[in-house]
Amino acid sequence: MDAFNYLSVLLSIILGMAITQILKGYRGMMQSRARLVVYWPSIIWSVLLLVLAVQSWWAMFGLRHHVDWTFLEFATALAQQIVMYLLAALVLPDFFGDAAVDLRAHYYGQQRWFFVLLLLLVGISLTKEFLFTGSIGDPSNLLFHLLFAALAAGGATIREGRFHGWMTGAAVLAIGAYIGLLFRHLA
């Protein structure tokens, strides 16, 4: 077993836990639909995180040719997946008991932590790119990262509902373009 196959096991486990967390939230919404107060940005962000988790796993394959792994490189790749899990854990509430579940209240209750973690994810992604390639990547990759950072910073600091609706729509377009332009083919 080479280093990539060995190290990618732990990364994949954490990513799998993130995906499971989101799917568990969907199960909770289905089972609690009679007492669920829907807030569409929560649902869209959960879908976006699911897409980002899959994209992260897809992009991880590009590291298979990296042979001389350092602990810092692995720790950065691991940190990226841990933050992805934490985002997945915050995006939807836990569904316990018989009380109403208000997705809007949950969204704004977790807003700062969620978007600060999203901003951290962008920073870790750029750091990982630099550690593995010695640069911050091509200009379009950097541009998307800066756009994601701006959206996350706005999400963390602005509580206005209209802004969050607009920002969620912008995130859908940005993540769709990011994956469509930079990750259409397996590296």
Side-chain angles (χ1 to χ4, degrees):
M1 178 180 284
D2 64 11
F4 171 76
N5 287 322
Y6 176 75
L7 297 174
S8 68
V9 170
L10 182 57
L11 301 175
S12 297
I13 288 170
I14 295 171
L15 205 49
M17 289 171 50
I19 291 169
T20 300
Q21 189 72 30
I22 295 167
L23 296 178
K24 184 178 165 193
Y26 293 160
R27 182 193 79 179
M29 286 192 303
M30 288 187 290
Q31 291 177 336
S32 305
R33 64 190 170 276
R35 57 190 174 91
L36 183 68
V37 180
V38 175
Y39 186 60
W40 70 268
S42 293
I43 295 169
I44 298 299
W45 275 108
S46 72
V47 171
L48 288 176
L49 283 177
L50 198 54
V51 168
L52 285 175
V54 171
Q55 183 274 330
S56 182
W57 183 77
W58 179 270
M60 195 183 336
F61 189 67
L63 299 176
R64 74 191 179 288
H65 296 302
H66 190 73
V67 242
D68 190 25
W69 283 80
T70 66
F71 187 77
L72 181 59
E73 290 167 342
F74 177 66
T76 304
L78 182 61
Q80 186 178 30
Q81 304 318 318
I82 289 170
V83 171
M84 183 69 71
Y85 171 79
L86 292 173
L87 284 163
L90 289 178
V91 73
L92 294 172
D94 292 326
F95 292 84
F96 297 117
D98 295 325
V101 179
D102 187 342
L103 292 182
R104 181 181 174 82
H106 177 79
Y107 180 92
Y108 288 104
Q110 305 303 324
Q111 170 204 355
R112 281 202 172 85
W113 273 106
F114 181 84
F115 289 105
V116 166
L117 283 171
L118 192 59
L119 188 57
L120 180 62
L121 185 67
V122 171
I124 292 170
S125 179
L126 285 172
T127 302
K128 186 179 93 175
E129 180 77 26
F130 181 76
L131 288 174
F132 282 95
T133 68
S135 73
I136 52 175
D138 66 64
S140 57
N141 187 48
L142 178 60
L143 181 65
F144 277 114
H145 276 79
L146 293 175
L147 174 61
F148 298 144
L151 290 172
T157 57
I158 300 170
R159 289 188 63 85
E160 212 267 35
R162 186 171 294 181
F163 171 79
H164 280 268
W166 172 87
M167 186 254 316
T168 301
V172 168
L173 294 174
I175 290 169
Y178 178 69
I179 293 170
L181 295 173
L182 302 176
F183 293 98
R184 275 183 298 190
H185 301 283
L186 197 58

